Amino acid sequence: MRINKTSTIIAAFFAGIIASPLIQHAVSEARADAPALSPAIFDLQAIKHDDLPKTSNPELNARTLVTTDHATVGIQSGNIAKHTHPQTDELQYIIEGSGSMWLGNERKDFKPGSLIVIPKGTAHAGSIVSNGPVKAIAIKIPPQGKGDIVFVD
């Protein structure tokens, strides 16, 4: 009986060693959907709120500018209800507009030049705009999946 358990453990160990590179290759192939980067310059100051496509959130307009296998960079303008991204870290750099927003359990002030770091699972938004609309560069790491937004009260 003891030999069978030992043999099973050894077989599972070697199966894992053999399977690991195959699984890593399969996962990297599955995520290789992003197109190759092209050189580009975006005039973010010239892009206005109404120039951006509307989203399913009536106060938020947004457009993805760059997509890679590991992150996306977009521009967004407007406001969105308080929410979290369970699987995505987010960085927002405020280009224009000012006010305050929920970041975790606290209201934090922001203005042009502010860099906001939002770890995955952190409630954010619900902005009070004092000068706007608010326009930000939004970097999502990894790229945000379709179901990776949970609205909170």
Side-chain angles (χ1 to χ4, degrees):
M1 183 76 134
R2 183 179 173 116
I3 294 175
N4 282 342
K5 286 182 184 179
T6 303
S7 298
T8 302
I9 292 170
I10 291 170
F13 175 77
F14 283 109
I17 289 174
I18 293 168
S20 179
L22 298 174
I23 292 169
Q24 287 176 354
H25 178 72
V27 168
S28 67
E29 288 296 316
R31 293 192 318 182
D33 294 333
L37 287 177
S38 298
I41 295 176
F42 298 97
D43 185 353
L44 301 179
Q45 292 294 341
I47 299 172
K48 302 300 177 208
H49 180 81
D50 291 332
D51 296 335
L52 297 169
K54 296 191 180 313
T55 67
S56 59
N57 300 289
E59 295 181 45
L60 183 70
N61 292 1
R63 183 172 88 198
T64 300
L65 302 173
V66 178
T67 301
T68 74
D69 292 335
H70 304 289
T72 57
V73 179
I75 184 168
Q76 59 190 38
S77 178
N79 201 354
I80 185 169
K82 194 174 182 183
H83 62 283
T84 66
H85 303 290
Q87 300 171 3
T88 307
D89 293 316
E90 183 173 0
L91 305 172
Q92 289 186 12
Y93 179 78
I94 304 300
I95 301 168
E96 62 185 53
S98 59
S100 64
M101 67 179 285
W102 283 107
L103 188 59
N105 293 324
E106 298 179 50
R107 278 230 178 254
K108 299 284 188 175
D109 293 335
F110 64 86
K111 62 184 185 217
S114 296
L115 177 64
I116 303 165
V117 178
I118 308 164
K120 60 183 153 195
T122 301
H124 59 287
S127 300
I128 297 174
V129 177
S130 58
N131 181 25
V134 174
K135 183 168 58 172
I137 298 169
I139 302 168
K140 309 282 181 92
I141 307 165
Q144 181 180 341
K146 291 185 187 290
D148 190 34
I149 186 167
V150 177
F151 289 96
V152 297
D153 296 326

